[in-house]
Amino acid sequence: MADEIWITGFGLVSPLGATPATCWERLSSGGSDPSRHPSLGYACYPMRDFDAAQHVQRRADVRQMGELMLYATVAARRALQSADLSPAQPALSRLQISVAADGGERDLAADETALAAVLPAKDPATALNEQLMRARPSHFLTQLPNLIPSNICIVNGFAAPSRTLMGTEAMSAEALRDAVSRIRAGQADLMLVGSTKNALCVQSAVCYTAGGLLSHDPLDSLWREENTGFCLGSVAAFVVVESAEHARARSARGLARITAVDTSFGARDQSSDCERRLLARWQRAVPKPPHALGVLSGITGQGDLARRERNFLSGVQVAGTRVSVRATALAQGHTVEAAFFANLVFALLCLERRQLFPPLDRSEPLETATLDEPLKEVLVTSWGSTHAEGFAQLEAVT
Amino acid sequence: VTQRRVAVTGLGLVTSLGIGTSINWRRMLEGTSGVDRITRFPTDGLRVKIAATVALDGLSADALIAERARAMGDLVVDEALAQAGFARPDRFPGAFFIAPPCHDTEWPEVIAAARRGDAPTYEAVYDVVRRAGRVPRLAYEHIGAHYANRHDLDRLPMCVTTACASGSTAVQFAVEAIRRGECSAAVVLGTDGPVRPEMMARFALLSALSTQNDCPQQASRPFSKDRDGFVLGEGAAAMVLEDPDHARSRGTEILAYVLGSGDAGDNFHRTRSNPSAEPIADCVTRALSDAGIDREAVDHVNAHGTSTPENDKMEWLGLRSALGDHAARVPVTSIKSMIGHTIHAAGTVEAVCTVMTTMTGLIPPTINYDVPDPELPVHLVANEARKHVVRVALSNSFGFGGQNVCLVIEKA
């Protein structure tokens, strides 16, 4: 049984910046600015300054991936490099990959060509069949989310078993919880865990809108309880997780200790007491709360979740813990499955500097509160837009 | 970790052969094919017009993949929980692990929205959906949340995809969770209803499907020399897995054990196996090692056996490499010859049938095996069911993206 679990590497592809340092600078100056989807017009935080050809050598590889998978291959590579796991490292042969994702990505141009033939057709069903048979065979592959880890391996030149967890924010905290549990029990030695999101993915925007979850216009605060939806963001974030023992044996540096990680299932109706259930889990996982706790909040922009996060955090503060909170969806949009991993990476950046970046929302008392001591622990929360919640707590490795 | 073996205490099965484990098992032993011409939607313009579909009361012909998966899932979960004897299946005291279809928008809904918006663009679709506020059939209805609500679970079920290996990966997750004492009981559900025009077209374009439209019931021919692709199938399977002590303390019958599992990644190509068959051999070897048994102990293999030229060859090469000379002596079967390839559900469907084989000492046949392939000297249970005492069996699953999983099932 491995008691201490470390994060030993991280990789990020974000509109906030190309390197951890530029990312930190941008976070410290209020984050990225939202823009509008070029054709659909919804407010979002798309990737900036990301040139696929610069990161993926073979054009054939680029052609077989959508943006979602491209971001993931680069973020995963950065995470492995940061953990000193080059393809030549023997430890890499013990790696297992866990990815949290929505679906894949469709070829929108091909879909619209099909629609143009189907809508006026006398026999729409046959017209659709004929159109579907005209697609490029490889289109299908970008629709399969398990091709995210597959492309991570193919593009970066190594093989590893992988599992892709599907759907909504909660699968991300679940993926980390599973990774920690497997490592602790000796069922895995070394895991690459993460996710990827593309704010410009039209099918996602349509689905979220159909569920009443997306805000068409930008949000200037995530803490307003009258807000009804979130703005999508683009990001890919991966972390490398292993036991302290395993890391020491290969002379790898611990960036943070994962002291707690858990999830719970709660509904989003008025009667749901999911924040109380989550608090009970946190209290069980963190029996001795610290004096000061930085919180990177996974609230999405939906007002209901702001209320629940406030309730949860007031429970965290009951035992005398001071909290200072940053709701990062204001800096990069809500990145759904990837939000939890992006916040884990931001937590690592904060722990390295022993401080939080400045408040993103200066009108929110939870954000402007100060900790009065160097940052040693960060709580990352995850709030599902339709159900389920989770958290992880990280501690600096001294 | 304390206990290597995990007990199987409940089974549920729905395929094109019927609803319920016993009718499926009887028809499989008889060598019945569930493949037929597709009547659910017009197939003009498609290259492939056959599939193994499941007809369910109350589901319309244009039910979404996700709706079909949920309806079949409910049936098999209830069957498995009833067999396992849980007094309150609506308050299941454990975890769920699900291999569902991948999330995607579906054509009927997109076309309907584009029609309302009067333009063949996603812009029109988005505007229509935005004005409507909510369009439930286009929204992401999470299958995990459905089961969390239905069975009062305290966590969202893990919903996993490893493409065509998903149903076995879900079993792996459950076995790991029970072994480390995280839960004493778990439900594994694999479910998929992929027979829709887009899936038919996609797999046909990848040259993965059999084009034997004129003889549907003979189209799926795993390991035959004249095999020309798989037949798309629908189905669902559930297994209740349990800590053996927990099962005994409840006084429920242990049907079989999952002894171990193994997986291996293949980065050779997005849709093709490494020609060395090494990753397939690796997942089998890892499964045997996880189970703590020698390869000579393997009495039977329930093959992935899709009936594509590539898969069956690579599976044989992988088995030969992992099992050595023993490979040619082990009776192998592929139930995909009868029920087609149920994609995300296949691993769980085949695990359930492998459990049935250990329970009954009967191996269902690989039908349509008329022309042996001299390159694949596999010891196939050809065309007729065979009596064979099976103490230890393997169940293989392989998927696009280099996913390879092997489960080891042991007779109780």
Side-chain angles (χ1 to χ4, degrees):
Chain A
M1 291 282 279
D3 287 332
E4 207 173 308
I5 308 295
W6 284 359
I7 294 177
T8 55
F10 70 90
L12 188 68
V13 170
S14 158
L16 293 167
T19 67
T22 54
C23 206
W24 179 263
E25 274 170 38
R26 187 62 81 84
L27 272 175
S28 302
S29 58
S32 185
D33 294 322
S35 57
R36 294 273 180 183
H37 187 279
S39 60
L40 272 52
Y42 60 84
C44 61
Y45 297 74
M47 199 59 77
R48 285 173 212 273
D49 309 321
F50 181 84
D51 176 12
Q54 203 188 318
H55 299 287
V56 180
Q57 308 300 321
R58 288 173 13 136
R59 289 190 50 179
D61 281 338
V62 176
R63 274 202 308 275
Q64 308 244 17
M65 291 187 273
E67 294 288 303
L68 200 66
M69 294 183 189
L70 275 168
Y71 304 157
T73 58
V74 178
R77 179 195 305 158
R78 288 175 177 165
L80 294 174
Q81 282 167 349
S82 137
D84 194 23
L85 287 165
S86 64
Q89 273 262 351
L92 200 62
S93 67
R94 304 290 299 155
L95 185 78
Q96 300 185 50
I97 306 178
S98 195
V99 170
D102 184 8
E105 286 181 303
R106 302 185 63 89
D107 183 312
L108 301 180
D111 279 4
E112 291 189 339
T113 305
L115 278 176
V118 168
L119 292 192
K122 281 208 179 69
D123 180 356
T126 302
L128 177 64
N129 289 348
E130 286 166 357
Q131 290 296 318
L132 290 171
M133 287 304 292
R134 274 179 207 152
R136 206 151 46 86
S138 60
H139 281 174
F140 187 25
L141 300 179
T142 63
Q143 284 170 254
L144 301 177
N146 77 298
L147 268 287
I148 298 170
S150 164
N151 278 303
I152 288 173
C153 291
I154 288 173
V155 171
N156 295 314
F158 67 98
S162 66
R163 304 179 192 178
T164 300
L165 298 172
M166 286 189 296
T168 73
E169 296 81 354
M171 277 298 110
S172 311
E174 205 55 63
L176 185 72
R177 190 185 67 80
D178 175 69
V180 168
S181 306
R182 273 154 76 185
I183 291 168
R184 193 161 272 155
Q187 293 169 335
D189 296 324
L190 182 66
M191 294 207 51
L192 175 68
V193 197
S195 181
T196 176
K197 197 73 183 175
N198 176 14
L200 299 181
C201 176
V202 163
Q203 76 195 90
S204 296
V206 166
C207 287
Y208 295 138
T209 304
L213 304 174
L214 197 72
S215 171
H216 185 77
D217 295 314
L219 303 172
D220 54 10
S221 172
L222 303 182
W223 294 100
R224 282 209 194 99
E225 296 187 10
E226 62 270 25
N227 287 353
T228 56
F230 57 75
C231 292
L232 271 175
S234 289
V235 81
F238 279 82
V239 291
V240 174
V241 183
E242 59 194 300
S243 70
E245 198 185 351
H246 190 268
R248 284 192 196 103
R250 63 178 195 89
S251 308
R253 195 166 64 97
L255 305 178
R257 190 178 285 126
I258 303 174
T259 54
V261 53
D262 210 347
T263 60
S264 65
F265 179 81
R268 291 288 174 265
D269 53 81
Q270 285 298 317
S271 64
S272 166
D273 60 349
C274 57
E275 57 265 43
R276 195 183 53 78
R277 282 208 268 178
L278 189 67
L279 182 65
R281 299 231 159 182
W282 181 80
Q283 285 164 336
R284 196 176 61 193
V286 186
K288 285 185 201 152
H291 297 294
L293 190 59
V295 179
L296 295 182
S297 171
I299 59 167
T300 62
Q302 297 159 280
D304 169 54
L305 299 183
R307 178 176 62 80
R308 295 183 192 275
E309 179 76 308
R310 282 203 173 97
N311 293 343
F312 169 72
L313 291 174
S314 64
V316 167
Q317 294 172 88
V318 162
T321 299
R322 286 182 73 95
V323 303
S324 186
V325 186
R326 304 291 181 269
T328 56
L330 198 63
Q332 60 161 10
H334 179 47
T335 55
V336 197
E337 294 83 7
F340 179 73
F341 291 105
N343 276 337
L344 285 178
V345 169
F346 296 152
L348 297 173
L349 298 181
C350 293
L351 287 173
E352 189 186 356
R353 290 159 180 82
R354 293 289 190 270
Q355 60 174 338
L356 291 170
F357 46 87
L360 296 162
D361 186 342
R362 293 187 177 278
S363 67
E364 171 53 42
L366 280 170
E367 297 218 13
T368 52
T370 54
L371 294 177
D372 298 332
E373 59 182 272
L375 185 74
K376 285 202 216 88
E377 293 192 56
V378 177
L379 172 66
V380 173
T381 63
S382 169
W383 290 94
S385 49
T386 52
H387 52 247
E389 42 284 327
F391 64 82
Q393 196 156 310
L394 304 186
E395 184 182 42
V397 177
T398 45
Chain B
V1 186
T2 49
Q3 203 142 22
R4 205 179 263 283
R5 300 195 300 185
V6 169
V8 180
T9 57
L11 303 174
L13 190 58
V14 168
T15 76
S16 51
L17 296 179
I19 293 168
T21 305
S22 60
I23 189 164
N24 267 286
W25 190 242
R26 199 175 71 232
R27 291 195 172 150
M28 280 184 196
L29 293 178
E30 290 164 359
T32 316
S33 169
V35 184
D36 215 332
R37 300 277 293 194
I38 294 170
T39 53
R40 187 183 290 160
F41 50 83
T43 54
D44 299 327
L46 292 174
R47 191 187 300 158
V48 176
K49 302 164 194 294
I50 55 173
T53 58
V54 174
L56 285 185
D57 293 339
L59 268 189
S60 69
D62 69 342
L64 303 177
I65 290 176
E67 292 166 344
R68 212 166 271 287
R70 217 161 36 225
M72 290 188 293
D74 289 355
L75 290 172
V76 295
V77 165
D78 289 347
E79 184 189 358
L81 284 174
Q83 182 174 23
F86 283 96
R88 291 290 306 270
D90 57 329
R91 298 178 74 175
F92 181 69
F96 267 54
F97 299 88
I98 305 178
C102 291
H103 175 226
D104 209 338
T105 48
E106 291 194 43
W107 281 104
E109 303 310 306
V110 172
I111 290 170
R115 265 194 213 295
R116 281 200 294 278
D118 207 20
T121 62
Y122 273 104
E123 210 177 315
V125 170
Y126 173 73
D127 285 340
V128 163
V129 170
R130 201 180 142 217
R131 276 201 305 277
R134 270 175 204 270
V135 183
R137 290 186 101 213
L138 263 173
Y140 187 6
E141 301 287 345
H142 198 272
I143 192 168
H146 169 74
Y147 288 101
N149 285 318
R150 199 170 182 264
H151 300 279
D152 196 22
L153 307 177
D154 62 357
R155 287 201 176 95
L156 186 67
M158 295 274 238
C159 290
V160 67
T161 177
T162 52
C164 298
S166 304
S168 292
T169 307
V171 174
Q172 275 192 297
F173 267 125
V175 167
E176 288 163 356
I178 291 170
R179 277 180 175 176
R180 59 180 184 250
E182 205 168 284
C183 54
S184 4
V187 172
V188 175
L189 166 64
T191 183
D192 206 350
V195 182
R196 301 279 278 175
E198 176 158 302
M199 288 298 174
M200 299 296 297
R202 293 290 196 252
F203 283 117
L205 287 168
L206 289 163
S207 303
L209 294 184
S210 168
T211 55
Q212 304 297 314
N213 294 324
D214 298 328
C215 47
Q217 310 203 325
Q218 285 82 49
S220 182
R221 307 169 187 180
F223 300 102
S224 288
K225 193 174 182 350
D226 57 354
R227 67 192 184 273
D228 74 330
F230 71 79
V231 172
L232 204 56
E234 296 183 327
M239 288 209 292
V240 177
L241 297 182
E242 211 166 338
D243 182 295
D245 291 337
H246 188 262
R248 281 182 212 108
S249 73
R250 294 195 309 115
T252 197
E253 187 193 352
I254 293 175
L255 309 175
Y257 296 96
V258 181
L259 262 192
S261 69
D263 54 4
D266 184 346
N267 69 340
F268 175 73
H269 187 268
R270 289 170 181 83
T271 57
R272 292 194 353 250
S273 298
N274 189 314
S276 72
E278 202 179 302
I280 290 177
D282 281 351
C283 85
V284 173
T285 306
R286 285 173 194 172
L288 295 175
S289 145
D290 184 51
I293 56 167
D294 295 329
R295 58 191 186 183
E296 281 75 20
V298 175
D299 298 315
H300 165 55
V301 177
N302 188 306
H304 187 58
T306 59
S307 181
T308 65
E310 160 103 355
N311 173 83
D312 297 359
K313 179 178 161 203
M314 298 320 298
E315 184 163 14
W316 162 250
L317 293 176
L319 282 173
R320 197 182 60 186
S321 163
L323 302 182
D325 292 341
H326 190 54
R329 297 191 290 266
V330 181
V332 173
T333 201
S334 168
I335 58 170
K336 289 190 180 82
S337 60
M338 298 176 279
I339 61 165
H341 188 350
T342 54
I343 310 294
H344 296 95
T348 320
V349 168
E350 285 152 26
V352 163
C353 292
T354 309
V355 166
M356 289 301 291
T357 287
T358 64
M359 288 173 70
T360 58
L362 293 165
I363 303 175
T366 303
I367 64 169
N368 301 322
Y369 188 72
D370 301 324
V371 190
D373 184 341
E375 283 184 36
L376 312 182
V378 51
H379 184 37
L380 205 69
V381 179
N383 301 320
E384 279 180 30
R386 186 180 304 170
K387 257 183 134 160
H388 189 76
V389 176
V390 175
R391 304 205 66 81
V392 172
L394 306 182
S395 180
N396 288 338
S397 296
F398 315 127
F400 280 172
Q403 310 273 4
N404 302 287
V405 185
C406 176
L407 304 175
V408 185
I409 310 285
E410 185 192 35
K411 183 178 162 65

